[in-house]
Amino acid sequence: MTIGFIGAGHIGSAVARAAVAAGHSVVMSNSRGPETLADLVAELGPSARAATPAEAGAAGDIVVVTIPLKHIGDVPVAPLAGKVVIDTNNYYPERDGQIAALDDETTTTAELLQQHLPTSKVVKAFNHIMASQIGTDGTPSGTPNRRALVIAGDDAAAKATVTTLLDEFGFDTVDAGPLAEGWRIQRGTPGYGPRRTADQLRADLAAAKRYRDM
């Protein structure tokens, strides 16, 4: 399939490399224009091309939104209608500015993207792994102690699609539940960062505390 990328930084580039290695095509975009992605597209090979964010969104069977949280209002809405959208974001107030609804923990980063994309199917993924590990930590299905990654989402079919993609990339999946539960894998929680198996991640999710309770 074709995966569109809105954002081509460390995580976006790493996920794109994994997608190409798994046999998919990718359409890369950023805020600075397709011409600035020439080197990345050349590295990714013939299965990759550069485009505008709207074009990448329209081309993707799945779309990965991987830009600073403060810019999600710039994500094109119409091209992503009805599509599975993967949100990789974390909240960094020093980068994004203070966002009241996240500061008081009445919502999550992925729910903010879902509000912006009301006709898309947002799934949280890839927010708690270092970009460099996406291409190195994957192993075949059934490998003992296989690394797992967390997803969260409100649409079961969309989560199944992302689970299949993660398996192709070499990871087991742990479903944290709806988007509202995505806070369980945000910065500062036990599962954020370290290499974890599925059982370990489930324990991490259960042990997670909101910032206000830390």
Side-chain angles (χ1 to χ4, degrees):
M1 62 186 169
T2 298
I3 303 176
F5 287 79
I6 297 176
H10 296 303
I11 291 289
S13 298
V15 174
R17 292 183 188 101
V20 168
H24 302 296
S25 297
V26 297
V27 182
M28 310 302 297
S29 73
N30 63 14
S31 61
R32 293 172 291 137
E35 65 280 358
T36 66
L37 295 166
D39 289 347
L40 176 61
V41 167
E43 175 203 332
L44 291 169
S47 296
R49 65 183 176 91
T52 66
E55 291 166 344
D61 300 304
I62 294 174
V63 181
V64 180
V65 174
T66 179
I67 60 176
L69 185 63
K70 63 182 177 181
H71 294 312
I72 63 170
D74 298 332
V75 175
V77 177
L80 277 59
K83 297 186 177 184
V84 176
V85 175
I86 296 176
D87 168 50
T88 75
N89 231 314
N90 291 297
Y91 175 37
Y92 297 96
E94 62 275 18
R95 177 196 67 184
D96 302 314
Q98 300 297 142
I99 300 173
L102 295 177
D103 290 338
D104 65 18
E105 299 186 280
T106 57
T107 192
T108 63
T109 57
E111 286 177 290
L112 289 178
L113 184 60
Q114 183 68 81
Q115 290 167 18
H116 178 66
L117 301 172
T119 58
S120 301
K121 303 164 187 175
V122 173
V123 178
K124 189 76 175 179
F126 297 113
N127 74 300
H128 65 101
I129 180 173
M130 292 180 61
S132 61
Q133 295 171 342
I134 293 172
T136 60
D137 279 14
T139 55
S141 180
T143 301
N145 298 315
R146 192 188 198 202
R147 184 167 185 172
L149 297 178
V150 171
I151 64 170
D154 296 337
D155 185 280
K159 289 196 285 189
T161 296
V162 177
T163 296
T164 297
L165 191 67
L166 288 175
D167 185 55
E168 292 178 358
F169 290 2
F171 300 96
D172 286 342
T173 297
V174 172
D175 185 351
L179 290 178
E181 290 295 296
W183 68 269
R184 291 184 179 276
I185 199 65
Q186 66 190 1
R187 285 195 305 159
T189 57
Y192 183 86
R195 188 190 191 286
R196 292 286 195 257
T197 65
D199 286 343
Q200 289 170 332
L201 263 185
R202 291 186 189 98
D204 288 341
L205 293 176
K209 295 182 179 180
R210 293 188 181 274
Y211 295 138
R212 60 176 175 260
D213 297 325
M214 290 183 180

